[in-house]
């Protein structure tokens, strides 16, 4: 039903790589089905990089990752300070509303309210305000939550999962993190598959659903 009602989808990341970890498989599924997919990234967290690193490194990794996934649209980049999104709630809301008006997405995918990273949580709350008339899904990063959430599952093919792993591997700046390892990504896809009856899957929290009756 979601696929039939979706012509334009918008994925929103608090930081580069958030969408890849949470929903890269769904990005691929939508693109394969001919959906127009957009990506917005709200920060460039250079603070997390070693001193002397090219400040464009994460943004360049994001562009390369999006290309692997087959994203055709330009990425909407913003520069909100990392770990301080809560100070800029109104500005973030206004930028999300501008995206809503320019893209007019049927489907919006972003962080879950159950994610306790302060930026992810703030973005989730403001996305609910901005996109309350669209279908809104939240993805979770298991390392940022103590609650397993997910009442919507999307089946992934082996190629979808392979592309997800490849897209994440482009983020060399994050390669030291245990959850970026291919076996971890594959295990999460298998776990979601077991929960849903698929071989591989991604899980999402359904926040709102708005389906046009054509």
């Amino acid at each position: 039903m979601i696929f039939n009602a979706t012509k334009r989808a918008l994925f929103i990341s608090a930081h580069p790589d958030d969408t890849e970890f949470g929903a890269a498989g769904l990005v691929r599924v939508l693109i394969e089905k001919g959906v127009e997919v957009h990506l917005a990234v709200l920060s460039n967290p250079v603070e997390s990089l070693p001193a002397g690193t090219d400040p464009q490194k994460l943004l360049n990794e994001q562009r390369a990752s999006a290309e692997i996934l087959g994203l055709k649209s330009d990425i909407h980049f913003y520069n909100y300070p990392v770990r301080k999104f809560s100070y800029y709630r109104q500005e973030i809301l206004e930028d999300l509303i501008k995206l809503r008006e320019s893209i007019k997405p049927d489907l919006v995918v972003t962080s879950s309210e159950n994610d306790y990273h302060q930026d992810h949580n703030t973005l989730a709350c403001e996305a609910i305000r901005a996109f309350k008339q669209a279908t809104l899904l939240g993805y979770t990063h298991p390392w940022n939550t103590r609650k397993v959430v997910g009442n919507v599952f999307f089946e992934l093919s082996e190629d979808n999962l392979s592309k997800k792993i490849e897209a994440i591997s482009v983020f060399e700046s994050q390669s030291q993190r245990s959850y970026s390892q291919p076996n971890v990504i594959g295990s999460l896809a298998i776990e979601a598959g077991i929960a849903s009856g698929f071989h591989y899957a991604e899980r999402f929290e359904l926040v709102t659903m708005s389906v046009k009756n054509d």
Side-chain angles (χ1 to χ4, degrees), residues 99-154:
L99 285 171
R100 182 190 73 196
E101 297 305 311
S102 62
I103 297 173
K104 295 180 172 54
D106 309 296
L107 172 64
V108 178
V109 185
T110 190
S111 300
S112 166
E113 283 186 290
N114 289 291
D115 191 315
Y116 56 63
H117 188 292
Q118 60 268 52
D119 292 347
H120 297 179
N121 189 268
T122 299
L123 172 56
C125 292
E126 297 312 313
I128 290 171
R129 296 173 66 193
F131 298 102
K132 55 182 175 286
Q133 294 180 335
T135 295
L136 178 61
L137 299 176
Y139 52 72
T140 58
H141 298 151
W143 46 94
N144 280 341
T145 182
R146 291 294 178 263
K147 181 186 295 186
V148 178
V149 298
N151 49 13
V152 174
F153 296 84
F154 290 95

Side-chain angles (χ1 to χ4, degrees), residues 156-170:
L156 303 184
S157 67
E158 190 166 341
D159 181 66
N160 296 150
L161 178 57
S162 177
K163 285 295 184 183
K164 176 172 184 168
I165 291 171
E166 184 181 356
I168 290 172
S169 71
V170 167

Side-chain angles (χ1 to χ4, degrees), residues 27-204:
V27 171
R28 283 292 302 172
V29 170
L30 290 170
I31 289 173
E32 288 172 354
K33 291 184 177 296
V35 175
E36 180 184 314
V37 176
H38 296 260
L39 173 64
V41 180
L42 296 194
S43 68
N44 178 18
V46 294
E47 299 91 335
S48 66
L49 299 176
T53 303
D54 180 359
Q56 295 296 308
K57 181 174 179 59
L58 279 164
L59 302 186
N60 290 336
E61 289 175 346
Q62 178 65 87
R63 293 186 184 96
S65 180
E67 185 175 350
I68 288 170
L69 293 176
L71 197 72
K72 303 299 182 184
S73 303
D74 290 337
I75 303 172
H76 306 267
F77 284 115
Y78 300 86
N79 199 29
Y80 286 101
V82 177
R83 294 183 292 279
K84 295 181 180 179
F85 278 25
S86 61
Y87 302 167
Y88 298 91
R89 284 184 177 275
Q90 186 60 33
E91 291 87 347
I92 289 172
L93 174 62
E94 291 173 4
D95 278 331
L96 294 181
I97 289 172
K98 289 177 183 176
L99 285 171
R100 182 190 73 196
E101 297 305 311
S102 62
I103 297 173
K104 295 180 172 54
D106 309 296
L107 172 64
V108 178
V109 185
T110 190
S111 300
S112 166
E113 283 186 290
N114 289 291
D115 191 315
Y116 56 63
H117 188 292
Q118 60 268 52
D119 292 347
H120 297 179
N121 189 268
T122 299
L123 172 56
C125 292
E126 297 312 313
I128 290 171
R129 296 173 66 193
F131 298 102
K132 55 182 175 286
Q133 294 180 335
T135 295
L136 178 61
L137 299 176
Y139 52 72
T140 58
H141 298 151
W143 46 94
N144 280 341
T145 182
R146 291 294 178 263
K147 181 186 295 186
V148 178
V149 298
N151 49 13
V152 174
F153 296 84
F154 290 95
E155 182 180 17
L156 303 184
S157 67
E158 190 166 341
D159 181 66
N160 296 150
L161 178 57
S162 177
K163 285 295 184 183
K164 176 172 184 168
I165 291 171
E166 184 181 356
I168 290 172
S169 71
V170 167
F171 289 94
E172 296 176 359
S173 59
Q174 309 303 309
S175 61
Q176 79 282 4
R177 303 188 186 278
S178 59
Y179 51 76
S180 71
Q181 304 309 308
N183 63 320
V184 175
I185 300 163
S187 295
L188 290 172
I190 292 171
E191 185 276 332
I194 291 171
S196 59
F198 301 125
H199 189 51
Y200 301 121
E202 284 178 337
R203 65 166 71 230
F204 298 85

